[in-house]
Amino acid sequence: MQENKNFNSVLYAVSDRTKAVLERLSATVKTNTIEIRMRLGLPLALTVGTETVFVRENGGAQFFLSNDLFKITKADLEESFRRLCNNSAFAHESEVKNGYIVMKNGSRAGICGNISPNGGFHDISSINIRIAHEVFGSANEIVRNYKNGGLLIAGSPGSGKTTVLRDLVRQLSNGSTGRLLRIAVIDTRCEISGSYAGYTANDLGSNTDVLITEQKAEGLEIALRTMFPNIIAFDEIATVDELKKVSESFYSGVNIITTAHIGAIDELKTRNVTNLLLESGAINQIALLPRIHGGKIRVFDTKELYHNAVV
Amino acid sequence: MLLFKLCGFALVIFSCAFVGFLKANHLNMRVKKLCYLQKGITRFKELVRLHGGETDRLLDKCFESRPIDYSYLELGDHEIVSGLFEEIGMLDTESACNRCELCLSMLKTKYDEAQKKYRDLGKLYKSIGALTGVFICILLL
């Protein structure tokens, strides 16, 4: 029922018309919904598990297109946008410029439309609300095998990298390895912490500091110099700048835990950023997430990878 | 009997003077309210520029009471302010500040107009009230 509660908690951000339809959905659909997709002139769609489901005007859900589906209007999108940013687009300008808005319960809404150079948003064409969820225990396998060093959580998009990272941070911070580790989380889109107005919606443990910044590389430097952490955790390493900072932290004795989009294990070597990251020596272990939720997480040492033991 | 008459005249004169005073006070209060709104919106604009938070939070900081009290204002004044807060939700920082600026200049015009009206009509209403009372008493005599 926790997920059902999460579903209801994001309904404040949709238009009254859409909310009335979504409230009529069955409890099973509500519980398993991870995304609510609103597209201008198109049927309201939900991502339930890994499948796309369309919503009928009477609140029913189906896997195929038909004429009685609930369609999203321009007024629905504008009303939703106003509610998402609490009638204050100017207060969410930096987020809006990057195409998303952080919601009150730590969920995130992606927005498509025309963005003017100064951050104004108009002609919104679609809104995708990703419902935040914490899965306690999702990182148990990693915690059991964690060797107190750098760790890369790799997986395909939607495999739950952020969810696992969040649980891992919580467990390490709370001393699951037998030692309370000081963790600094660099949260670029408030996705890990679910921060809103200074408060974190997600449980990141009792020994964790959260730094919210758009510039991950700068954030790494700040965390390194000011928070004196044992571990710096952040989502999705992507640029060479970030890599440089990761190397700096490695030489400062601070461990890194990060995630990377990897379709298959051999992509770790073919993708420039991950290859450089592994070569830098900052990563000792790799946790590979399964494509299907609920599958087993494989944790192995980077040395094994270089000796082709895993590939 | 004479005492009753005198009391009645006094009551009529006092009532008419009071009505005149109320009318003049209404004009004065409009001037004060417009000044208060200008101060609040100027502060609101500054906070928007400083990325001080969402509209609700900023309004709490800028105005003593919420929702904003529009009493004593004319319909035009009310529309200027409520129009600002209806439109500002979709605007970026720069546009929001510009919109506040526009609202302030419109309120300034209204404020000048209200001040002039109070200067011209305030004393007149007060004195006319008392004089009307006296006039009614003379008629009754």
Side-chain angles (χ1 to χ4, degrees):
Chain A
M1 282 299 105
Q2 174 62 30
E3 294 293 306
N4 200 340
K5 197 177 133 199
N6 287 348
F7 182 88
N8 290 331
S9 71
V10 297
L11 295 186
Y12 80 91
V14 298
S15 64
D16 288 336
R17 219 175 124 254
T18 315
K19 188 179 175 184
V21 173
L22 288 172
E23 277 176 340
R24 286 203 290 269
L25 285 168
S26 70
T28 319
V29 175
K30 284 182 184 176
T31 306
N32 295 303
T33 298
I34 54 172
E35 284 178 344
I36 301 169
R37 290 179 175 272
M38 296 182 279
R39 300 179 179 104
L40 182 59
L42 295 171
L44 174 64
L46 307 174
T47 306
V48 181
T50 52
E51 299 297 323
T52 299
V53 170
F54 298 104
V55 182
R56 283 199 299 272
E57 278 172 0
N58 63 6
Q62 61 187 42
F63 289 99
F64 52 89
L65 291 163
S66 65
N67 290 329
D68 62 342
L69 295 175
F70 178 81
K71 291 200 172 146
I72 298 294
T73 62
K74 195 174 175 60
D76 286 325
L77 286 176
E78 283 188 359
E79 193 181 335
S80 298
F81 180 73
R82 274 180 185 276
R83 290 185 177 186
L84 274 168
C85 59
N86 210 2
N87 208 25
S88 322
F90 55 84
H92 295 269
E93 201 172 85
S94 59
E95 295 165 25
V96 171
K97 268 182 190 170
N98 290 311
Y100 70 92
I101 291 177
V102 177
M103 295 169 67
K104 285 175 188 167
N105 68 339
S107 295
R108 196 179 59 166
I111 300 160
C112 281
N114 289 352
I115 308 173
S116 60
N118 53 3
F121 220 95
H122 54 97
D123 298 338
I124 295 158
S125 57
S126 57
I127 295 176
N128 173 26
I129 297 174
R130 288 186 77 178
I131 302 167
H133 56 283
E134 291 179 273
V135 183
F136 292 109
S138 58
N140 283 353
E141 189 63 34
I142 305 175
V143 174
R144 264 197 293 276
N145 296 294
Y146 185 63
K147 289 178 183 164
N148 206 15
L151 177 88
L152 178 71
I153 300 168
S156 51
S159 57
K161 292 182 293 297
T162 309
T163 308
V164 170
L165 175 67
R166 193 183 296 132
D167 190 52
L168 180 63
V169 167
R170 185 182 60 80
Q171 292 203 40
L172 295 179
S173 171
N174 283 341
S176 293
T177 52
R179 187 182 156 215
L180 286 164
L181 296 169
R182 285 185 306 274
I183 304 185
V185 172
I186 315 291
D187 207 356
T188 46
R189 287 170 294 185
C190 301
E191 225 180 348
I192 305 172
S193 61
S195 288
Y196 188 87
Y199 297 97
T200 54
N202 299 324
D203 181 4
L204 293 179
S206 50
N207 209 11
T208 305
D209 303 296
V210 181
L211 181 67
I212 295 163
T213 170
E214 281 171 34
Q215 305 300 321
K216 226 176 281 174
E218 280 175 22
L220 274 162
E221 195 173 333
I222 294 169
L224 196 61
R225 289 183 203 285
T226 61
M227 302 314 296
F228 186 50
N230 298 118
I231 295 173
I232 299 178
F234 58 95
D235 214 0
E236 292 169 20
I237 186 150
T239 66
V240 179
D241 244 16
E242 287 159 19
L243 260 175
K244 278 183 196 163
K245 297 292 173 193
V246 166
S247 305
E248 260 180 50
S249 67
F250 172 59
Y251 294 117
S252 313
V254 177
N255 293 322
I256 291 292
I257 297 180
T258 186
T259 67
H261 283 302
I262 294 294
I265 189 70
D266 47 355
E267 281 180 29
L268 281 170
K269 283 181 174 179
T270 51
R271 272 191 69 190
N272 190 30
V273 172
T274 48
N275 190 36
L276 287 171
L277 178 68
L278 294 176
E279 280 178 1
S280 72
I283 298 294
N284 306 104
Q285 285 181 292
I286 297 163
L288 186 68
L289 304 191
R291 280 177 186 273
I292 304 160
H293 287 282
K296 198 172 182 309
I297 299 173
R298 288 195 296 156
V299 185
F300 48 88
D301 292 345
T302 42
K303 285 173 198 162
E304 291 178 48
L305 181 74
Y306 278 92
H307 288 95
N308 291 328
V310 180
V311 180
Chain B
M1 193 64 186
L2 183 68
L3 190 66
F4 273 119
K5 274 185 183 175
L6 284 173
C7 283
F9 289 152
L11 195 67
V12 168
I13 293 169
F14 178 75
S15 304
C16 291
F18 185 67
V19 169
F21 174 79
L22 276 184
K23 188 79 182 149
N25 185 55
H26 193 279
L27 293 178
N28 188 25
M29 286 306 286
R30 184 181 169 224
V31 173
K32 283 184 179 167
K33 196 48 86 60
L34 283 169
C35 181
Y36 166 74
L37 285 173
Q38 284 185 80
K39 276 184 191 166
I41 292 168
T42 307
R43 174 102 180 100
F44 181 83
K45 190 187 84 177
E46 284 164 7
L47 290 174
V48 167
R49 204 182 288 284
L50 294 169
H51 301 286
E54 292 177 341
T55 309
D56 275 348
R57 209 170 129 204
L58 300 190
L59 287 176
D60 284 338
K61 285 182 185 173
C62 301
F63 295 97
E64 285 161 15
S65 62
R66 291 280 314 282
I68 299 168
D69 180 16
Y70 291 112
S71 52
Y72 299 109
L73 293 178
E74 288 179 359
L75 190 64
D77 311 333
H78 180 197
E79 278 172 357
I80 291 170
V81 182
S82 57
L84 167 73
F85 295 119
E86 272 168 29
E87 288 169 23
I88 210 159
M90 294 286 279
L91 303 176
D92 58 275
T93 308
E94 201 185 323
S95 311
C97 289
N98 291 343
R99 186 67 187 76
C100 288
E101 203 66 62
L102 176 69
C103 177
L104 282 171
S105 68
M106 287 160 89
L107 280 180
K108 178 81 173 67
T109 314
K110 291 280 182 187
Y111 174 76
D112 292 342
E113 183 192 301
Q115 219 174 16
K116 187 172 181 297
K117 204 169 171 183
Y118 176 63
R119 259 201 317 266
D120 295 347
L121 301 175
K123 277 184 186 169
L124 185 73
Y125 282 139
K126 280 178 195 166
S127 48
I128 272 187
L131 285 173
T132 310
V134 173
F135 181 68
I136 291 170
C137 291
I138 291 166
L139 276 184
L140 289 173
L141 276 172

